[in-house]
Amino acid sequence: MSGRVAVVGLGPGPAQWITPEASAEIEAASDVVGYTPYIVRLPMRAGQRAHASDNRVELERARLSLKLAADGATVAVVSGGDPGIFAMAAAVFEAAEESRAWHALDIAVIPGVTAMQAAAARLGAPLGHDFCAISLSDNLKPWAVIEKRLKAAAEADFVIVLYNPASKGRPTRIAEAFAMLRGLKSATTPVAFARAVGRPDEKLTLTRLGKADVGAVDMATLVIVGSSETRYVPREGARPWMLTPRSYGAAR
Ligand code: SAH
């Protein structure tokens, strides 16, 4: 077994957010495996094989990459953002766990800029204090688990980052999540919808929990719900900064 699998993070979209290490891994790969929209964005060289697939077949895609590597290939499995955050790294290790033969493979995770970092950078400093990230997708976990975590996160007063807030198959989940949060947190809590950050159709919406219109939230959106400490810093003629101060209970 001489092959290698690199699980590579491509960042949120733009080329300047792809690390040099990620580019080098893709360049060196004999085979590139991933969800079709990521594959089509990559500059492939002649002789490189692309294996594009649907987003929902993560484990199959992971097994394919391990099989290719076991046959000697140098494989790059690509994910948007960071591959360890709601993405392919876990699927690759889950698949590798299934077979002792695959335990000997060289598997590397190449980190990337995750959507949460990109969105936070645009907004100011919303993640300046304790935060948590929750995926609202109930494709791979029961909705009851998501509800329990949202409630606990609100009660613990974390800044709450929601990945996968909505999709065509689950259009109402974000409304259900907000209904629950409205019962647990102040209506004035700052809320940001950061859509397609770093891409040409980027859109940032700054609102508050009580009046946020979740109809604007889609699959390309990351949602950040503030803690009791999070605030907007208003600016003349410019978008306010979203700030969660470093020290808790800081004087205003
Ligand atoms: N591994 C990825 C996350 C995959 S889950 C990462 O680390 O970023 C997919 C979710 O990520 C989307 O539904 C959306 O909530 C968020 N996301 C990914 N790219 C984004 C971008 N450019 N702008 C805003 N949110 C994004």
Side-chain angles (χ1 to χ4, degrees):
M1 282 212 198
S2 56
R4 169 180 166 91
V5 176
V7 198
V8 179
L10 297 177
Q16 75 268 22
W17 283 345
I18 300 181
T19 68
E21 186 186 24
S23 299
E25 287 286 354
I26 292 161
E27 175 67 27
S30 61
D31 293 76
V32 182
V33 175
Y35 175 42
T36 309
Y38 298 134
I39 299 274
V40 298
R41 263 199 258 147
L42 296 175
M44 302 281 292
R45 23 171 203 86
Q48 263 183 328
R49 283 173 296 177
H51 309 264
S53 65
D54 184 83
N55 204 17
R56 266 173 291 189
V57 292
E58 288 193 347
L59 265 180
E60 277 170 44
R61 211 188 300 151
R63 288 190 198 107
L64 167 68
S65 63
L66 294 165
K67 276 184 203 141
L68 290 166
D71 290 340
T74 304
V75 184
V77 180
V78 295
S79 271
D82 182 88
I85 299 186
F86 307 124
M88 283 304 293
V92 167
F93 288 110
E94 273 175 69
E97 191 183 29
E98 291 170 356
S99 161
R100 245 170 210 283
W102 286 342
H103 291 193
L105 284 172
D106 174 13
I107 303 177
V109 179
I110 312 301
V113 175
T114 188
M116 175 172 75
Q117 293 170 293
R122 285 288 197 261
L123 294 165
L127 308 181
H129 207 82
D130 299 343
F131 61 88
C132 67
I134 299 176
S135 168
L136 273 200
S137 169
D138 57 352
N139 290 338
L140 301 172
K141 67 183 162 183
W143 180 250
V145 170
I146 300 173
E147 280 185 324
K148 189 174 161 191
R149 291 193 180 150
L150 275 175
K151 183 162 184 273
E155 282 169 356
D157 199 22
F158 282 106
V159 171
I160 303 171
V161 179
L162 301 176
Y163 281 77
N164 295 308
S167 75
K168 288 202 183 86
R170 322 170 270 107
T172 60
R173 290 310 196 191
I174 183 68
E176 289 173 47
F178 266 60
M180 171 184 255
L181 293 174
R182 282 178 178 132
L184 297 165
K185 295 173 70 75
S186 161
T188 59
T189 305
V191 166
F193 300 144
R195 185 180 186 283
V197 178
R199 304 184 197 148
D201 50 342
E202 173 174 319
K203 187 170 182 228
L204 303 173
T205 306
L206 275 59
T207 180
R208 298 198 184 261
L209 186 59
K211 58 177 186 196
D213 173 13
V214 294
V217 172
D218 65 5
M219 226 163 75
T221 307
L222 187 89
V223 176
I224 301 183
V225 180
S227 73
S228 65
E229 299 287 306
T230 305
R231 58 196 188 235
Y232 287 128
V233 180
R235 293 190 299 154
E236 198 76 37
R239 199 174 59 228
W241 291 313
M242 187 178 190
L243 167 66
T244 307
R246 294 276 291 128
S247 42
Y248 210 84
R252 302 201 172 179

